[in-house]
Amino acid sequence: MSINCIIVDDDELAISHLQVFISQVPFLNLITFYQSPSEALAAIETQDIQLIFMDINMPGITGMELAKMLQAMHGVNAPRIVFISGHEKFALEGYKVNALDYLLKPVGYEDFLTACYKAKTYFAEKEKPAIHSDSYVINDFIFLKVEYEMVRIYLKDILYLEGFKDYVKVYLTGNNGFLKALTTMKGLEEKLPVNGFIRVHRSFIVSVDKIDAITKNTIKIGKTIIPVTEQFKDDFRKFAHQWF
């Protein structure tokens, strides 16, 4: 597998740093780099770019604005983004624009390599038909077995999931309440996009962009408080390290 990538950063030292890292990852193919998001946008429209290593604070269009534009224009087919920034405060917003990862400058090679393998896993899974006996994903929705039907649920409508012995409650936005899907937490977790959902408890998976507040041990979605248990704290801390 080869992943075509670019760097978008106005800092020449940061670009050089990333070029060295990328050269040490055999499955990354660095196309080029850009020092402004507007230049990158024009190139993305004409080249097969799969992954972008991008700063946020840049003159003109910011990295976050470019990410939102790409998401609006291409949806699930937009290039995946790894934000690399000197500011912690944008991390949660980064997940809301479907960022694959968020790394703080100065970036260490271990963290960088972890983000690269996330990308490799994502693109490998994307190439596979995601079909399962009781659920499967197509683009931006998932089919779940509810009683005797396979019901389509849009991922953007999912607030969180609560697992029970023989079924999973899927809580939805608006007045839709919840559905009782005949599947397991493990089976459903394997089918959800890793960048959009995070497991925080043996019985709970939450939608990242529906999180309203967090503490060291809890997540709040609307009026619901969901505990973060020890088993899942390492992944949760990595996601929310900027608040700890």
Side-chain angles (χ1 to χ4, degrees):
M1 171 185 290
S2 180
I3 300 172
N4 292 336
C5 64
I6 60 172
I7 300 168
V8 184
D9 199 317
D10 62 336
D11 183 339
E12 291 184 3
L13 185 60
I15 291 172
S16 298
H17 190 65
L18 288 174
Q19 285 176 314
V20 172
F21 279 0
I22 290 171
S23 69
Q24 297 172 6
V25 182
F27 53 83
L28 291 183
N29 176 35
L30 180 61
I31 303 298
T32 188
F33 65 86
Y34 299 94
Q35 291 184 278
S36 81
S38 57
E39 291 178 355
L41 179 60
I44 291 166
E45 293 306 298
T46 58
Q47 300 181 60
D48 179 23
I49 306 300
Q50 298 166 283
L51 183 64
I52 306 174
F53 296 99
M54 183 158 62
D55 191 13
I56 292 179
N57 283 336
M58 288 180 281
I61 302 171
T62 68
M64 194 66 69
E65 289 169 341
L66 176 58
K68 291 177 181 178
M69 292 169 63
L70 292 174
Q71 193 173 52
M73 290 172 7
H74 299 288
V76 296
N77 295 316
R80 299 309 312 276
I81 293 171
V82 174
F83 281 120
I84 298 178
S85 175
H87 302 276
E88 298 177 342
K89 62 183 179 179
F90 298 113
L92 183 58
E93 190 177 356
Y95 279 91
K96 289 186 177 182
V97 294
N98 211 26
L100 189 69
D101 210 338
Y102 188 101
L103 306 178
L104 284 175
K105 295 179 179 179
V107 179
Y109 184 68
E110 184 177 350
D111 288 339
F112 177 81
L113 195 59
T114 298
C116 292
Y117 273 95
K118 280 187 182 179
K120 185 178 182 181
T121 299
Y122 170 81
F123 288 111
E125 289 298 319
K126 190 176 180 181
E127 292 176 0
K128 298 178 182 178
I131 299 175
H132 191 268
S133 60
D134 49 22
S135 66
Y136 62 94
V137 177
I138 301 178
N139 295 327
D140 58 349
F141 56 85
I142 187 170
F143 275 103
L144 295 175
K145 188 174 182 181
V146 179
E147 295 185 348
Y148 300 104
E149 298 180 314
M150 295 295 287
V151 178
R152 175 160 55 182
I153 306 296
Y154 285 94
L155 298 178
K156 65 181 177 62
D157 293 334
I158 298 175
L159 293 171
Y160 63 94
L161 305 99
E162 183 178 9
F164 295 85
K165 184 178 180 181
D166 300 316
Y167 64 91
V168 174
K169 282 187 178 180
V170 183
Y171 291 85
L172 303 169
T173 57
N175 298 318
N176 295 320
F178 66 84
L179 296 175
K180 290 172 65 173
L182 301 178
T183 185
T184 63
M185 287 289 278
K186 182 179 179 182
L188 191 47
E189 183 181 20
E190 290 173 352
K191 301 303 174 184
L192 291 170
V194 295
N195 58 293
F197 294 84
I198 183 170
R199 191 164 187 176
V200 296
H201 187 283
R202 185 168 178 266
S203 300
F204 289 98
I205 297 173
V206 301
S207 176
V208 168
D209 67 0
K210 301 301 190 300
I211 296 174
D212 294 310
I214 66 173
T215 71
K216 289 184 179 180
N217 301 305
T218 64
I219 283 175
K220 185 178 181 182
I221 297 179
K223 295 181 180 180
T224 303
I225 305 296
I226 297 171
V228 180
T229 55
E230 196 66 36
Q231 180 182 357
F232 300 97
K233 273 188 178 177
D234 285 346
D235 288 341
F236 177 68
R237 282 171 181 156
K238 186 171 182 181
F239 158 68
H241 69 277
Q242 68 270 20
W243 288 287
F244 298 160

